[in-house]
Amino acid sequence: MAALTLREVLDLDPVRASEPRLLTGRTALDRPVRWVHSSEVYEGANFLDGGELLLTNGFGLTDADEEVRRRYVRELAARGAAGLAVEIGRSLPQMPAEVVDEAERLGLPLLALHRVVPFVRITEAANRAIVARGLSGRQVVRPWGDDHTAALLADLADQAALNQPEVEARSALAGFHPGPGARLIGVSVHGTRETGAVDRAVRLLSGAAVLRAAFPGDVLALLALPATGTGDPIRAVQDAFRGAAESGLTVAVGHAVDAGGGWLRWSDTLRAARTTLELALTVPAAEPSVPDGPLVTSARALALERELTRGGVDTNRDRLARMVQHTLGPLLAWEAAHPSDLVRTLEVHLRHGCSPTRTAALLHIGRQSLYQRLERIESLLGLEIDDPDLLGELLQAACAHRVVRGMGATQVRGLRTVA
């Protein structure tokens, strides 16, 4: 059975209620639509696999210059999007001429939606029709498979407008059936475009189910650990990836959530994994990684870093710099004039309960050298670093110092951390 076409999507009642006007791509109305979702993330094209109709209120285009808008359209077309629908009137008073011109040049169907209709109503109607078409034809047509899985994971990670029946239907089509009481854990892997590391890790986690797909630059997965498991599920997933992932890969593990807690919880763990991965790639690690092995971390291990960058890196840059200067100013001045490693020594010491034995071992120095560093730190700051009232402030400032150092590379590496 043929897939739902763009022409058929436009004929659905919620879409017609939005008073759509087709500006470009009239000859492409019979192209298949694999899924419909909304996203205001400018990099949303990176998570498309082809055949999606993308809905946007245009907020991301309001302050963009002409070349940025043209590039946005080019990236959608390059990813094989079925079309772009832009709400006109709230964020954008009219469709930018360069968007129309670029879409016309590339043959991308461009729709102007002139009446506000909640996107959730459009996606519900369209995707219900797509799922129904796929189910009715499953005896003769193979379900979407990996492409469908990628679209679902992208929608969850972007927290697109979804609903529980839609997520359950799409998960079922992908063969993902978390059992009662299962714990879901999002995972993001950088350094490969293959899913082999995820598949090997799942085999080590007896009874686990998985949704996984490769995207440009990383692999995204949602693991379901059975309720019969004992122990810490996050630790179990991390250990599995330490044994399954190749050297050079970076693996970020999200939170453990209840599979029955609703699709927003599914989204939360995937978003936490993605945010954690971006931080792991950008912010220098607090401690040395295991040589000749993958870097495996988790949202809870980088909880402080994630909190410090909540709302966006650029938004927090000046605030964090002031925090570091206020708390650690004398240490920074000393390090600028003398080769030393006082701030890192302070953070490692605080992270490990102020244990001299563990701190010295992790820094690969003798205990006597550590004591000398700690005395220098206390002398410069004029305080005792094991004072319980100061532990939180000092650890936060030391962590912020690493984040600020990593910020110098964000423009090059394209950090997207916003959650």
Side-chain angles (χ1 to χ4, degrees):
M1 182 174 290
L4 207 69
T5 66
L6 182 57
R7 188 188 306 274
E8 290 173 306
V9 171
L10 295 180
D11 199 42
L12 295 170
D13 287 343
V15 181
R16 293 171 61 184
S18 70
E19 299 181 3
R21 180 187 173 197
L22 185 65
L23 303 180
T24 65
R26 188 168 300 277
T27 61
L29 284 176
D30 292 318
R31 64 173 50 176
V33 177
R34 190 180 300 278
W35 205 255
V36 178
H37 70 90
S38 62
S39 177
E40 303 309 324
V41 179
Y42 177 74
E43 298 89 349
N46 293 333
F47 298 99
L48 299 183
D49 283 286
E52 297 92 347
L53 173 62
L54 182 65
L55 311 177
T56 178
N57 65 20
F59 180 77
L61 300 175
T62 53
D63 297 324
D65 59 31
E66 176 179 340
E67 177 52 32
V68 168
R69 290 171 172 172
R70 287 183 180 274
R71 186 168 63 248
Y72 176 71
V73 176
R74 288 197 299 270
E75 289 177 352
L76 290 177
R79 296 295 294 174
L84 171 65
V86 183
E87 182 185 278
I88 300 298
R90 289 194 294 180
S91 299
L92 283 176
Q94 61 184 10
M95 189 74 75
E98 55 271 20
V99 172
V100 178
D101 180 66
E102 200 68 20
E104 179 69 36
R105 186 179 68 83
L106 297 170
L108 177 71
L110 176 65
L111 294 159
L113 309 180
H114 290 283
R115 184 178 177 185
V116 176
V117 173
F119 283 164
V120 66
R121 287 179 53 194
I122 295 176
T123 57
E124 278 184 5
N127 293 332
R128 188 181 299 116
I130 291 171
V131 169
R133 180 70 61 86
L135 288 172
S136 66
R138 68 186 306 165
Q139 297 303 317
V140 294
V141 179
R142 185 180 182 274
W144 295 296
D146 288 343
D147 285 347
H148 172 63
T149 301
L152 174 56
L153 286 169
D155 282 350
L156 287 170
D158 277 346
Q159 209 166 75
L162 300 170
N163 58 63
Q164 194 61 29
E166 174 186 333
V167 171
E168 291 175 356
R170 294 172 70 180
S171 298
L173 282 173
F176 186 64
H177 304 278
R183 303 289 284 170
L184 299 185
I185 300 174
V187 177
S188 190
V189 183
H190 179 79
T192 180
R193 296 188 65 175
E194 304 294 334
T195 60
V198 174
D199 295 337
R200 290 190 296 273
V202 169
R203 286 195 291 270
L204 294 175
L205 296 163
S206 179
V210 65
L211 277 175
R212 86 287 189 273
F215 296 89
D218 63 315
V219 173
L220 197 60
L222 185 63
L223 278 61
L225 274 62
T228 55
T230 59
D232 180 356
I234 300 296
R235 182 67 63 189
V237 171
Q238 287 186 267
D239 289 343
F241 274 96
R242 288 192 179 101
E246 301 93 336
S247 177
L249 297 188
T250 302
V251 181
V253 178
H255 307 299
V257 301
D258 183 356
W263 75 269
L264 282 171
R265 302 300 305 276
W266 298 30
S267 177
D268 285 344
T269 186
L270 283 168
R271 289 167 65 84
R274 258 180 42 184
T275 303
T276 301
L277 179 67
E278 291 157 6
L279 285 170
L281 293 173
T282 305
V283 177
E287 300 166 11
S289 59
V290 177
D292 301 323
L295 171 60
V296 181
T297 188
S298 66
R300 64 187 183 190
L302 295 184
L304 188 51
E305 290 87 341
R306 293 176 67 244
E307 191 62 35
L308 289 172
T309 57
R310 186 174 296 276
V313 170
D314 288 336
T315 302
N316 289 282
R317 188 186 303 269
D318 292 341
R319 178 181 67 86
L320 295 183
R322 289 194 299 270
M323 176 195 303
V324 173
Q325 186 61 40
H326 172 76
T327 306
L328 304 177
L331 293 189
L332 300 179
W334 176 269
E335 289 193 338
H338 306 83
S340 57
D341 203 11
L342 298 184
V343 176
R344 181 164 176 261
T345 298
L346 173 63
E347 183 176 8
V348 172
H349 192 58
L350 294 173
R351 283 181 177 272
H352 291 274
C354 296
S355 166
T357 300
R358 296 202 59 179
T359 303
L362 288 166
L363 295 175
H364 304 291
I365 60 177
R367 291 185 59 167
Q368 190 59 42
S369 296
L370 173 63
Y371 289 138
Q372 292 174 354
R373 290 188 188 183
L374 296 178
E375 289 174 2
R376 175 71 66 185
I377 292 170
E378 291 185 333
S379 174
L380 289 169
L381 295 181
L383 48 79
E384 296 180 359
I385 58 179
D386 58 355
D387 183 341
D389 291 341
L390 297 173
L391 295 180
E393 179 182 5
L394 289 174
L395 180 56
Q396 179 177 253
C399 181
H401 177 60
R402 274 191 301 107
V403 173
V404 170
R405 284 168 51 207
M407 284 179 178
T410 57
Q411 295 301 316
V412 176
R413 300 192 186 196
L415 184 66
R416 303 189 302 268
T417 300
V418 294

